[in-house]
Structure formats: C-alpha cells, structure tokens
Amino acid sequence: MAYNFLSLVNDVNDEFNEIQLTEANFDNVDGYYAHTKRAVNAALRRINQTFFEWPFNHVTGEEVLTAGQTRYPYPTDAKSLNFDSFRVKFQDRLYRVQQGDYEEYLDKFVDADENGLDYADIPRMVYKTPDLNFLLYPPPRVDTSLVYEYYSLPTDLVNATDVPFVPEQFRHIVVSGAVSYVYKFRGDVEGHISQLNEFKQQIKEMRTLYQNRYEEVRSTYIPRNSTPSLRGF
C-alpha cells in the first residue's frame, strides 16, 4: 500500500467505516472528509512540535555567499540551525567555521556590515543574530558557498500523492492522532480525550526511540600524554 496523504486519510476513514477516497475526488471533498484531511495534517504538526529535532527532519543546506557580505537569512523552512556544522567552501576545500557571541561581534567587528570588502578573507566565525539571520566574519573575499545542517519545519500535505515527513513505520501514530481530531469534529468528547491521550503516549515512545541512541555516545576523556592536534593545518 502506498504511503501518502491519500492513504493516511483512507486509514482514518477505515476507523470510522467511511467510504474510501480516490485521487480523482480527493481535492473536491467537504464536510467530514475535508476535516479528515485537516486532521491528518494536525497530527503531523503535533508530532513535529513535540520534539525539537527529529532525525527525519535533518537537512544539509548550502548558502551562496557574496564577496563582502556578512549577513544571511535562515532557510525559510528552518526550525533550528546547527551552528557547529558550518563549513565554508573555498578552492575545493571545506573550512570549519566556529560560533561566536553576537555581542562580541557588535563590540569588535560591526563595521564589517558596511565595509565588508575591507575585512574580507575566508570566514572563521559565525554569529547567530536576534532576527533569524546569521552573519560571517570575516566576510568572504570571493563569491563562494557555505554548507551547514539544520532541522526543518515540514509543510502541510496538500495533494493526494504528497508523502509525509514522518517515516512509514510510524504510520499508525499519525492515524491515531488524526482519529482523535475526527472524534472532536464529531462531538465525541470522551472519544477525543481517550484517543488523544493514546496519541500523546505513542509520541513519547517514538521520542524515546530516537533519544536513547546509546551507540552514538562517545567519550570526552583526553589522556594527559596525548599528542596535540595540528590546529589550523
């Protein structure tokens, strides 16, 4: 069975013994069926908002950098940026960029906003600004690009064949949440509360599955006699 918007809506229809939709009539429904479509999106939004950094929302982005320009906007779909992941591409190499304190930038380097080319070099620092932008210092001396990682905000499903951001193994959880919202639409308060509590518990279990990744835990112990790394090589 396909895993898309249409199939999720029909899974909910099965729970209420309602007629299955098809791609032909999916766009033109109203009443109960229109609400069921909204309920599926509501369930997906609830899952996304419950945990800040789901691994299936992880994205690697690339920003075009302009010589002398310091400030750049967040991606329009960004929920949170990993500022430890910033790397500048320059002459077929990647250079790590470290995060700095924005107040420090304002104290020491703010003139670069107006006179970027006077300070231009390979960017070494990135700063998180209060207005959903980030800035680089020094500004790039040539047009190049920046690679970084972030967690995205998924958009609502619209078309019958749109695929949810939540993996198919959690299909039943999406349906569970959508069913709770359909109960509310039908005025069944008791059914809504009972199903919503089950949905919340399923999300907790889903979250635990991704949080308890013990195989990724690593030691931060540094032996006293270890050889120092060649920083800046």
Side-chain angles (χ1 to χ4, degrees), residues 219-227 231:
S219 173
T220 57
Y221 168 71
I222 302 176
R224 289 186 177 182
N225 295 326
S226 62
T227 302
R231 294 187 178 182

Side-chain angles (χ1 to χ4, degrees), residues 71-74 83 99-106 110 113 126-135:
R71 295 179 183 253
Y72 299 86
Y74 281 22
F83 280 86
Q99 183 176 8
D101 180 73
Y102 182 61
E103 296 300 325
E104 179 185 26
Y105 173 82
L106 294 179
V110 70
D113 282 347
V126 60
Y127 302 88
K128 179 181 179 180
T129 71
D131 56 353
L132 295 181
N133 285 263
F134 60 85
L135 61 85

Side-chain angles (χ1 to χ4, degrees), residues 24-37:
N25 63 12
F26 187 81
D27 292 337
N28 299 314
V29 295
D30 54 18
Y32 159 82
Y33 293 104
H35 181 79
T36 301
K37 292 166 66 174

